[in-house]
Amino acid sequence: MITKLNIDKEFKRKIAEISNQRISDCYQCGRCTAGCPFAMFMDSPPNQVIRLIQLGMREEVLKAQGPWFCAACLVCQTRCPKGVDIPRVMEAVRVIHLRAKECILDIPQIDYEYMLDLPPLALMSAFSKFSF
Amino acid sequence: MRLPYYPGCTLYTKAKPLNETIRSCFNIVGVELDELPHWYCCGTTFTLARDNRMSLIAPLRILTKAQQEGKQVLVPCSICYNTLKRANFIFSEDREALDIINEHLEEKYDGKEEVIHPLEFIRDNQDMIRNKLKKPLSGLKVGCYYGCLLLRPAEEMKFDDPESPSIFEDFVRLLGGEPVEFALKVECCGSYLVVNTPDAAVNASYKVIKNARENGADALVTTCPLCFYNLDALQTKIRQQYPDFKDMPIFYFSQLLALALGVDENGLQLGQNRVSPEIVLKKYGLL
């Protein structure tokens, strides 16, 4: 629910600063979510995360799982009619968590055999997106 | 002809077949690859946070090494290619960022190095390959899987059309094979999500392979070691989750190139492909 109490204008400005995107440009056409290969895994798909940021609903955005299923494949960036680079916005949300030292990927918890089997660039990429 | 070469971490570990077949193919066509001395990690993945310049240091150090070796550097791994090219784009657009980082490093980068992918090199030097073809891939129906990072963001990568590319199909045609069109050739395979949410990668890779199969592909070909892992190694998990699934062999583009250039069976390094391509290749008399 939106009340005056849970609106954080500073949050929207912070996301805009990290992502260098004009979040207000989004008019919610939903093309990003329609093309997103991982939207089905997200509680809040890309267009909803953007909408929550537009409204300044910091808590809801930081609780959303959507950004953690973004593989930065950039399909949405290619298709956005307003030129919003959505993966940069998703990265900004991730970065806010990581800079607050909230780690999503618990590295010692990854199965050792599985880790040895994965190509190093998968691990490097996951470490850089999900840990600090 | 000599060309500076940046392999990246995975080409020395899990993607040895990609490294070794690239080397033997370029050797056959008369291009000597000079591996950069003392190279480091490219700093994958390219950071999307615009206020973070630290992550541009790794790519800048590699580009500095490369500029000492030649005007272009050849990068076969899609992820390294994307990271280096995007960083390079920033250095050419944002002089301030380049100056700030240069100030902290002993060796300076001039911002002029060109990062090229082997598929671009082959597109621009088709006769080199054509003259050396020994075993055209006649009849082999190949789905060209681009994935994400070669193509997007289009305005920075300038590789091909991001929604309907054709450079990979032209490559397969050059080798005498039959490229198969399929809609998901530019869709993500799940990328690094395989590390902590493997189900997302299993689902994405299943859809890609199924779509290629429905359009008549015998095999998929890719340039990226991570796409290769997701599409090839995850097939065991895909089979467990989707009983209707049928195996499909996955190739590195350089393995097909090596095959067409007449590299012997040992040199193709097919032993590391978990889904054996033997049946498909024998069907067309290629092995």
Side-chain angles (χ1 to χ4, degrees), chain A residues 64-121:
Chain A
Q65 291 301 305
W68 305 107
F69 280 98
C70 166
C73 78
L74 274 65
V75 162
C76 51
Q77 183 267 356
T78 305
R79 296 180 185 167
C80 177
K82 295 290 283 176
V84 178
D85 195 336
I86 299 129
R88 284 194 186 276
V89 179
M90 293 293 179
E91 181 99 330
V93 177
R94 286 192 292 260
V95 156
I96 285 178
H97 282 280
L98 299 178
R99 288 180 188 171
K101 306 268 183 265
E102 292 163 33
C103 203
I104 288 300
L105 180 63
D106 191 358
I107 296 169
Q109 290 300 313
I110 306 174
D111 180 71
Y112 186 65
E113 293 296 317
Y114 187 46
M115 183 132 73
L116 289 184
D117 192 48
L118 286 166
L121 54 77

Side-chain angles (χ1 to χ4, degrees), chain B residues 35-287:
Chain B
E35 185 169 329
L36 301 185
H38 313 296
W39 53 263
Y40 332 90
C41 171
C42 67
T44 185
T45 59
F46 179 76
T47 181
L48 298 170
R50 281 303 288 267
D51 62 348
N52 179 359
R53 280 177 179 155
M54 279 289 280
S55 62
L56 295 173
I57 294 175
L60 185 128
R61 291 173 80 193
I62 293 162
L63 293 165
T64 310
K65 291 267 178 227
Q67 98 187 343
Q68 292 161 0
E69 304 292 318
K71 286 195 173 75
Q72 295 182 318
V73 56
L74 189 77
V75 185
C77 164
S78 301
I79 299 196
C80 300
Y81 175 74
N82 182 280
T83 307
L84 294 175
K85 206 159 174 182
R86 293 198 73 179
N88 213 13
F89 181 82
I90 291 190
F91 298 139
S92 64
E93 294 280 296
D94 181 359
R95 205 68 212 179
E96 194 193 331
L98 178 61
D99 291 344
I100 289 173
I101 302 171
N102 263 338
E103 212 170 283
H104 292 85
L105 299 174
E106 272 180 30
E107 297 173 322
K108 315 290 179 202
Y109 177 50
D110 64 7
K112 290 183 185 147
E113 185 70 11
E114 195 188 343
V115 180
I116 59 165
H117 192 271
L119 284 179
E120 292 175 299
F121 181 87
I122 292 166
R123 175 194 62 200
D124 300 336
N125 298 280
Q126 293 192 15
D127 286 339
M128 252 178 175
I129 308 285
R130 207 172 279 128
N131 296 338
K132 300 277 182 185
L133 277 190
K134 288 230 172 67
K135 204 194 275 180
L137 311 178
S138 308
L140 187 65
K141 294 181 190 60
V142 193
C144 300
Y145 179 69
Y146 291 80
C148 314
L149 296 177
L150 285 179
L151 299 165
R152 298 187 286 264
E155 54 278 18
E156 291 179 34
M157 300 308 288
K158 296 186 181 71
F159 185 79
D160 205 339
D161 186 302
E163 297 279 17
S164 177
S166 59
I167 178 170
F168 218 153
E169 280 80 2
D170 293 341
F171 164 79
V172 169
R173 255 179 237 120
L174 178 69
L175 304 185
E178 286 178 34
V180 171
E181 276 298 335
F182 66 111
L184 298 189
K185 68 180 186 179
V186 296
E187 190 98 340
C188 183
C189 66
S191 189
Y192 52 77
L193 294 180
V194 68
V195 177
N196 60 338
T197 43
D199 281 353
V202 165
N203 178 273
S205 298
Y206 163 69
K207 284 193 273 195
V208 169
I209 300 173
K210 185 165 173 258
N211 183 241
R213 168 84 61 205
E214 284 165 358
N215 285 281
D218 294 317
L220 276 176
V221 58
T222 179
T223 65
C224 173
L226 184 45
C227 298
F228 186 89
Y229 180 85
N230 285 350
L231 294 172
D232 183 53
L234 292 186
Q235 288 195 33
T236 325
K237 284 183 187 159
I238 296 177
R239 258 196 311 277
Q240 288 161 4
Q241 286 192 24
Y242 304 94
D244 65 318
F245 179 72
K246 258 185 83 188
D247 283 4
M248 180 177 284
I250 315 294
F251 291 100
Y252 283 116
F253 74 106
S254 53
Q255 287 180 314
L256 288 187
L257 180 59
L259 183 64
L261 292 175
V263 172
D264 65 21
E265 203 177 322
N266 237 350
L268 297 177
Q269 305 250 342
L270 295 171
Q272 289 197 33
N273 302 32
R274 294 189 207 193
V275 179
S276 170
E278 217 180 295
I279 298 171
V280 169
L281 292 180
K282 281 191 172 148
K283 182 173 153 195
Y284 296 101
L286 295 166
L287 209 63

Side-chain angles (χ1 to χ4, degrees), chain A residues 1-2 6 8 11 52-53 55-61:
Chain A
M1 191 175 73
I2 310 172
N6 61 11
D8 184 343
F11 182 68
L52 291 170
I53 297 170
L55 294 170
M57 298 178 74
R58 181 175 180 279
E59 294 305 315
E60 282 73 6
V61 174

Side-chain angles (χ1 to χ4, degrees), chain A residues 21-33:
Chain A
Q21 297 302 305
R22 288 210 303 241
I23 319 278
S24 337
D25 278 4
C26 169
Y27 53 28
Q28 289 292 309
C29 71
R31 243 176 127 176
C32 47
T33 298

